[in-house]
Amino acid sequence: MAIDLSRISLRPFNLTDVDDFMLWAGDDQVTRFLRWKTFTSKEEALTFINDVCIPHPWRRSICINDRSIGFVSIFPGSGDDRCRADMGYGIATKYWGQGITTKAVKIALSQVFKDFPNLVRLQSFVAVENIASQRVLEKVGFLKEGMLRKYSYLKGNLEDLFVYSFLATDSFPVVDP
Amino acid sequence: MEGGGNEFTGEITLRPLELSDIDDFMAWASDEKVTRFCTWEPAICLNGHTIGDISVTKNSGNDKCRGELGYVLGSKYWGRGIATKVVKQVANTIFAEWPHLERLEAIVDVENLGSQRVLEKAGFQREGVLRKYMLLKGKTRDMVMFSRLSSDPKS
């Protein structure tokens, strides 16, 4: 049964999200293309939520009915790079393939350019094997600019990454109800 | 990265620069300067000439496979294949000197055609245009990304 996408929202993390957080952040499939390691204990997760998620410049929990099922993170640059920010996201496997991440990224887009007035370019680096994530970005309206060969390590593997971008001057997608 | 500035400091001798000076320049370029961590340094004097600067910045952690090449050459020395020769020399030697390095990249303004030609001649591959990638003198600029891998053939 398809999820009603009006139940999807973004909000900051709370420590009380820890059990829900572990359901997706403790899953290797979810963290496979992320830089951070799969969480193995509630203590680890609490520390991470407290030390990283909550003080983060822009990290949101993707929620269904206010329960955390994933995240979207935006990392702005500084100095000459302040026109630019990197975006990452992940979501529990149970919710893959239903348009939820696409909706969450559209919501993030509608907020982040206002939250960071210097932001001109939002970019995302996606492993070439991560087809699902590439589709999310394409559906939202990001432009694939090229493939960066052997750009960085991901879980110990040297990866070719596609670079995608969305500019403040691009056409913003409508966030469906 | 800029293709060259209009100024250089240091004492200028009265003879024209000769191609034989390039060997000294490259000995320096492939030795100390490629191990620097920063981007731009004050101009370097060499045999009384300062003609340019070349550097490769290191990264750490998951990005240690990647280094960014930057270079600047006094405009007086443009058009003679000097930058190409120096970039080739660095690209041909740095992977042996830095075993962790897999990818040497260079990010060039879309309007800097001279610098793009240098990289192409030095065997770099053009990967794409990064729109409004960075601020240069207060304006956002589109930049072209180039790379050369340790597995690419020597130029």
Side-chain angles (χ1 to χ4, degrees):
Chain A
M1 191 171 74
I3 299 278
D4 172 9
L5 293 176
S6 67
R7 295 160 61 198
I8 304 300
S9 62
L10 259 49
R11 59 155 173 78
F13 279 93
N14 303 312
L15 290 174
T16 48
D17 288 324
V18 65
D19 291 323
D20 290 334
F21 180 89
M22 280 302 293
L23 292 177
W24 52 267
D27 183 349
D28 285 340
Q29 282 191 83
V30 174
T31 67
R32 182 179 167 205
F33 292 116
L34 300 176
R35 287 206 167 183
W36 41 267
K37 287 189 214 149
T38 312
F39 285 82
T40 53
S41 77
K42 191 165 160 169
E43 288 67 38
E44 231 191 319
L46 272 172
T47 306
F48 185 77
I49 295 173
N50 192 63
D51 295 355
V52 178
C53 297
I54 291 172
H56 195 282
W58 206 100
R59 183 173 287 231
R60 299 287 181 264
S61 169
I62 302 175
C63 293
I64 283 188
N65 298 344
D66 206 46
R67 300 285 296 269
S68 180
I69 59 164
F71 77 100
V72 182
S73 278
I74 311 283
F75 298 82
S78 56
D80 287 340
D81 300 339
R82 66 188 179 274
C83 57
R84 190 163 90 225
D86 289 348
M87 178 178 68
Y89 47 82
I91 194 168
T93 55
K94 179 176 164 173
Y95 297 108
W96 286 8
Q98 297 168 62
I100 297 171
T101 313
T102 302
K103 166 129 194 207
V105 172
K106 284 183 181 179
I107 296 173
L109 232 61
S110 70
Q111 297 173 358
V112 75
F113 286 96
K114 296 174 195 152
D115 292 345
F116 296 111
N118 286 320
L119 186 63
V120 174
R121 170 190 173 87
L122 187 60
Q123 58 183 23
S124 202
F125 297 89
V126 189
V128 296
E129 317 101 280
N130 193 352
I131 311 283
S133 193
Q134 291 159 37
R135 275 206 296 264
V136 167
L137 295 170
E138 283 156 15
K139 282 195 284 181
V140 173
F142 277 68
L143 179 71
K144 183 197 276 191
E145 292 169 332
M147 187 182 80
L148 309 180
R149 305 177 299 157
K150 296 194 179 169
Y151 194 71
S152 79
Y153 286 98
L154 215 54
K155 301 281 160 56
N157 298 314
L158 192 55
E159 295 279 352
D160 295 338
L161 303 179
F162 287 125
V163 56
Y164 283 83
S165 71
F166 191 95
L167 304 186
T169 45
D170 287 345
S171 292
F172 280 73
V174 174
V175 180
D176 301 319
Chain B
M1 161 176 18
E2 302 182 28
N6 283 320
E7 76 279 355
F8 51 88
T9 61
E11 288 180 89
I12 301 180
T13 62
L14 295 178
R15 67 165 173 79
L17 183 74
E18 288 166 8
L19 215 50
S20 57
D21 289 332
I22 297 308
D23 291 333
D24 286 334
F25 179 79
M26 288 197 304
W28 154 85
S30 64
D31 195 9
E32 292 169 50
K33 293 308 153 192
V34 296
T35 60
R36 281 201 333 252
F37 279 74
C38 60
T39 50
W40 305 119
E41 282 278 328
I44 309 297
C45 293
L46 174 70
N47 288 349
H49 282 93
T50 299
I51 65 167
D53 190 273
I54 187 158
S55 63
V56 180
T57 56
K58 271 189 188 179
N59 289 302
S60 58
N62 283 318
D63 301 321
K64 66 180 187 283
C65 50
R66 200 164 79 237
E68 186 181 339
L69 177 73
Y71 55 88
V72 65
L73 186 68
S75 57
K76 188 182 155 94
Y77 305 103
W78 293 4
R80 301 192 217 176
I82 295 171
T84 302
K85 192 162 181 187
V86 170
V87 169
K88 275 188 183 183
Q89 173 79 359
V90 169
N92 286 338
T93 55
I94 194 168
F95 294 107
E97 290 190 38
W98 289 5
H100 288 307
L101 193 68
E102 302 279 350
R103 170 189 173 91
L104 185 62
E105 65 182 24
I107 302 173
V108 189
D109 196 296
V110 289
E111 290 178 9
N112 192 343
L113 299 177
S115 199
Q116 290 169 41
R117 273 197 298 270
V118 165
L119 293 164
E120 280 157 10
K121 285 190 281 183
F124 281 68
Q125 191 169 303
R126 185 185 173 114
E127 291 173 332
V129 174
L130 309 180
R131 303 177 300 158
K132 301 196 179 168
Y133 189 70
M134 59 187 280
L135 285 164
L136 212 59
K137 298 178 180 156
K139 289 191 168 172
T140 50
R141 305 295 301 172
D142 292 348
M143 310 290 284
V144 188
M145 173 71 87
F146 285 86
S147 74
R148 206 170 115 162
L149 304 187
S150 59
S151 49
D152 286 343
K154 292 203 172 189
S155 57

